[in-house]
Amino acid sequence: MTSAALPFGSWPSPISAVDLSASGHPVEGGRFVGDEVWWSEMRPTEGGRTTICRIENGVVTALLPEPFNARTRVHEYGGGAWTATDDGRIVFSEFSDQRVHIGKPGERPVPLTPAPAVAATVRYGELSIVGNEVLAVRETHDGAKVSRDICAIALDGSGVRSLASGSDFLAYPRLSPNGNMLAFVAWNHPQMPWDGTELRIVDLTTGVSRTILGGTEESVLQPEWIDDESLYVISDRSGWWNLYRTSVDADVVALHAADADFGAPLWQLGAQWYSVLDDGKLLTVRTFGTDTLGILDPVTGSLDDIDLDGLTSISLGGRRGSSVLLRTGGAHNASGLRLLDLDTRSLVEIRSGRETIPDAAYLPQGEPMTFQGPQREVHAIAYAPRNPEYRGLEGELPPYVAFVHGGPTAHVAPALNPVFAYFTSRGIGVVDVNYGGSSGYGREYRNRLRGQWGVVDVEDTIAAVQGLADAGLADPARLAIEGGSAGGWTVLAALTSSDVFACGASYYGVAELEMFVAETHDFESRYIDSLIGPLPDAIDLYRSRAPINNVDGLSCPVLLLQGLSDPIVPPSQAERFRDALVRKGIPHAYLAYEGESHGFRKLETQVHARESELSFYGQVLGFTPPGIPQLELWRP
């Protein structure tokens, strides 16, 4: 086929914003229930609720009818919102009231936990069934005070009992085989779980608690009992999250030393990076840039990798014998639930996260790249424009959008991301940046952002786009930047401190710090201590770094997108920045969405936001995307 020459950004594309959302239903949490596989599925077409699904006669069936929504607000990011009993009952945290409910498929679930005195003041996450009880992390809100404990909920609805408390944050409750010892991970403000946590064990017969390992400079994750005296655990004491064997006597032995992470930041409760197999070996996921699945022999320390044919992101689900459920995705494979047979090493797709996938000819080829900034190396993935029907004009270079992930302690890998294809199929390049502070490259790389938020992330993102421009791949005059949450902070910081970008889009981004730390939720309320510095000593840095205080350095248009029910980055952040843009006379648009929280979940919101972003880029970067409604910009 001969391609036609059209300006970059103006190429007609078969990929619509409706396609991105209407056919998408992110899946996770796969587990075996009897002879069936169940999983959770977020559905934008049903108001963004999360239901539990299985396959019946080849058809996906929702086990939780509308309006039930299996989603917990513990830490606001949730995790471990549902589990299932051996006899096929669903146990889940219902989003509307945060009570734990139980019910069989086809029946109306009933509450297991009591109604709190004030609606939604008690939350439960990381649910797991042990005997006749459900272990959970419980979060109690009493006015401005937030406390957490590990509790056991009776499956017969007779009550809830507390097992352990005494720390600001708790995770990974694990009962020993004899039921006498409870292991868990704990940490306190101002630590985040990737900064420093402790492995603790409490003797349930005496109430005596001991710290086995960990501290303020060691992050410990996912303890699992081997027997009544010893456990496996992940620790980054070497600078990398590696696997260890420890005991109630605090002996610690490394299983396999590697410059790779067998763990990741604990943003959501219940995440697991290894599973103990029936033969005593460990099925592991390790990361250096991309994920690798392997079987670790804890006796010999040998590691046998499993080839998953280009899948670059892997998370472990349930296991039964040699069958393991994985949530996986890659540069050419949509994220979804797959079943791995460890004996044959064959992989079968159970449920894709998408109903339809764009034609492969319109999907960009993610290329991992390393750029050399003025201070350090920067890892990123570049996605060049790609459409079999069109090419750019002779001598024209494409515009590029730098995507800045949230967290900021998060990580991106090459992925089949329809959002990227939405842009690249129209002639707009994308670069996804793992700036300093990102996970997946060891503790030193994560720690690059300590005290440097708004500096290192900005410098590294600029290094990536300038590297593309210097290589003749991107138009240096048509560079944009997009990010959400902490990524939105980087967008606003980059726009107000440099002239590299022609425009930027901030999804629910942090704009200032003094009110943010007072208004945000408990989990992240002291995160800024490590990213900038503790108050009151760092007050001058808070003020000098905050993008809202640097609007005088801004000269390009900005798009602000915000959920009005966001408890993590409240709407006041975007509204203050909007007001500053008005005072400075900067063209902009502020899009506020009713009923949306931190991350848009409704179909109509997702479509409107993405089309608005594309129109915004077209108006600023000088192209007209066909068939896209024009976003009205405020102009002085």
Side-chain angles (χ1 to χ4, degrees):
M1 178 187 298
T2 301
S3 59
L6 284 178
F8 286 113
S10 67
W11 301 351
S13 169
I15 304 171
S16 72
V18 174
D19 294 332
L20 301 184
S21 300
S23 71
H25 42 248
V27 300
E28 58 184 23
R31 65 178 63 240
F32 291 96
V33 181
D35 294 328
E36 299 175 334
V37 173
W38 292 9
W39 65 89
S40 66
E41 186 166 304
M42 194 276 279
R43 295 188 166 181
T45 56
E46 297 178 9
R49 80 179 183 107
T50 298
T51 185
I52 312 303
C53 298
R54 69 183 175 196
I55 294 178
E56 296 178 337
N57 300 318
V59 177
V60 173
T61 302
L63 304 182
L64 282 182
E66 293 186 83
F68 287 101
N69 187 354
R71 181 179 166 202
T72 173
R73 290 188 61 185
V74 174
H75 296 176
E76 296 298 349
Y77 294 102
W82 74 282
T83 185
T85 63
D86 290 340
D87 61 356
R89 290 175 291 166
I90 306 169
V91 180
F92 68 101
S93 290
E94 162 55 34
F95 183 69
S96 62
D97 61 10
Q98 289 297 290
R99 297 169 71 184
V100 176
H101 287 59
I102 187 170
K104 287 187 175 182
E107 297 180 359
R108 185 176 181 84
V110 297
L112 275 182
T113 55
V118 180
T121 57
V122 181
R123 308 169 181 180
Y124 302 85
E126 197 168 357
L127 308 182
S128 64
I129 294 174
V130 179
N132 295 317
E133 294 180 308
V134 183
L135 288 186
V137 174
R138 177 169 58 181
E139 180 178 284
T140 302
H141 293 247
D142 183 4
K145 181 182 178 182
V146 183
S147 61
R148 297 172 183 86
D149 68 338
I150 294 170
C151 67
I153 305 163
L155 280 171
D156 63 6
S158 60
V160 183
R161 60 192 182 100
S162 182
L163 301 179
S165 60
S167 295
D168 292 333
F169 302 96
L170 303 162
Y172 291 113
R174 299 289 191 269
L175 273 179
S176 62
N178 62 14
N180 293 333
M181 309 287 279
L182 177 70
F184 57 94
V185 167
W187 67 99
N188 291 309
H189 284 307
Q191 300 299 112
M192 298 301 288
W194 44 88
D195 294 327
T197 60
E198 296 179 348
L199 170 62
R200 295 183 187 165
I201 294 178
V202 59
D203 187 328
L204 296 178
T205 64
T206 64
V208 175
S209 176
R210 287 181 292 165
T211 297
I212 302 301
L213 73 159
T216 58
E217 292 295 327
E218 179 182 2
S219 173
V220 178
L221 300 167
Q222 196 189 341
E224 304 288 356
W225 289 96
I226 304 169
D227 52 41
D228 291 328
E229 300 292 326
S230 57
L231 310 92
Y232 294 123
V233 70
I234 298 168
S235 166
D236 71 347
R237 56 176 46 200
S238 70
W240 301 85
W241 273 307
N242 281 188
L243 278 156
Y244 295 83
R245 180 182 178 124
T246 188
S247 70
V248 294
D249 296 322
D251 298 324
V252 182
V253 178
L255 300 185
H256 179 90
D259 289 348
D261 281 329
F262 291 76
L266 188 64
W267 281 105
Q268 290 188 304
L269 292 173
Q272 60 173 339
W273 295 275
Y274 70 97
S275 175
V276 183
L277 302 176
D278 292 344
D279 62 3
K281 295 179 180 178
L282 308 182
L283 182 67
T284 66
V285 177
R286 74 180 186 279
T287 307
F288 186 88
T290 58
D291 293 346
T292 302
L293 190 70
I295 296 178
L296 173 62
D297 187 331
V299 177
T300 65
S302 62
L303 189 61
D304 177 20
D305 288 343
I306 298 174
D307 183 7
L308 294 182
D309 193 24
L311 296 174
T312 55
S313 298
I314 306 164
S315 62
L316 298 178
R319 182 184 65 84
R320 184 177 63 179
S322 62
S323 297
V324 181
L325 292 167
L326 307 172
R327 182 166 62 90
T328 58
H332 308 288
N333 305 89
S335 180
L337 185 66
R338 294 173 170 88
L339 178 66
L340 173 67
D341 186 317
L342 292 174
D343 292 333
T344 65
R345 304 205 170 178
S346 60
L347 198 64
V348 177
E349 184 173 282
I350 300 294
R351 175 67 161 164
S352 174
R354 305 195 59 78
E355 290 292 339
T356 60
I357 297 172
D359 187 301
Y362 295 90
L363 297 176
Q365 307 294 306
E367 180 183 355
M369 302 182 76
T370 300
F371 299 95
Q372 185 62 52
Q375 305 293 330
R376 61 203 152 261
E377 286 187 340
V378 181
H379 299 290
I381 303 103
Y383 300 84
R386 188 167 186 247
N387 185 316
E389 299 177 67
Y390 301 98
R391 66 183 188 279
L393 300 179
E394 184 70 27
E396 181 192 22
L397 290 173
Y400 259 78
V401 181
F403 273 64
V404 186
H405 66 65
T409 311
H411 175 77
V412 293
L416 191 162
N417 187 332
V419 171
F420 295 168
Y422 180 74
F423 290 109
T424 58
S425 63
R426 289 171 165 80
I428 306 164
V430 167
V431 59
D432 210 6
V433 186
N434 278 315
Y435 51 84
S438 302
S439 55
Y441 301 97
R443 189 177 184 104
E444 185 276 330
Y445 201 88
R446 292 202 313 277
N447 285 352
R448 289 181 184 181
L449 211 56
R450 282 195 172 184
Q452 297 296 309
W453 196 35
V455 178
V456 164
D457 47 328
V458 170
E459 291 176 349
D460 287 3
T461 305
I462 289 173
V465 295
Q466 286 187 330
L468 289 169
D470 292 344
L473 301 174
D475 185 343
R478 295 195 293 170
L479 301 173
I481 181 171
E482 188 253 47
S485 190
W489 156 278
T490 303
V491 168
L492 300 178
L495 297 180
T496 54
S497 65
S498 77
D499 59 1
V500 171
F501 298 99
C503 62
S506 169
Y507 283 74
Y508 35 88
V510 178
E512 65 81 57
L513 295 174
E514 292 172 77
M515 292 302 296
F516 172 74
V517 297
E519 296 172 342
T520 193
H521 65 133
D522 184 58
F523 178 65
E524 293 180 273
S525 62
R526 299 290 302 277
Y527 193 4
I528 311 301
D529 283 32
S530 63
L531 293 174
I532 303 288
L535 289 174
D537 295 348
I539 188 63
D540 290 341
L541 277 178
Y542 277 48
R543 292 170 179 170
S544 64
R545 295 268 183 87
I548 198 170
N549 295 329
N550 297 314
V551 173
D552 284 346
L554 177 65
S555 59
C556 67
V558 181
L559 174 61
L560 303 170
L561 305 101
Q562 178 70 45
L564 292 178
S565 299
D566 191 339
I568 296 173
V569 179
S572 57
Q573 290 283 310
E575 291 162 0
R576 293 186 185 108
F577 200 83
R578 173 206 57 195
D579 295 344
L581 293 173
V582 171
R583 290 192 295 270
K584 180 78 187 299
I586 299 291
H588 68 276
Y590 172 51
L591 304 179
Y593 298 102
E594 292 282 354
E596 291 288 6
S597 183
H598 199 66
F600 302 154
R601 301 173 71 91
K602 298 178 183 178
L603 173 64
E604 58 270 24
T605 303
Q606 294 176 351
V607 171
H608 184 267
R610 199 59 70 187
E611 289 186 340
S612 297
E613 184 184 354
L614 179 57
S615 173
F616 173 71
Y617 293 148
Q619 292 179 59
V620 178
L621 302 180
F623 56 82
T624 302
I628 301 299
Q630 181 163 312
L631 171 69
E632 182 178 352
L633 297 182
W634 179 93
R635 298 181 186 276

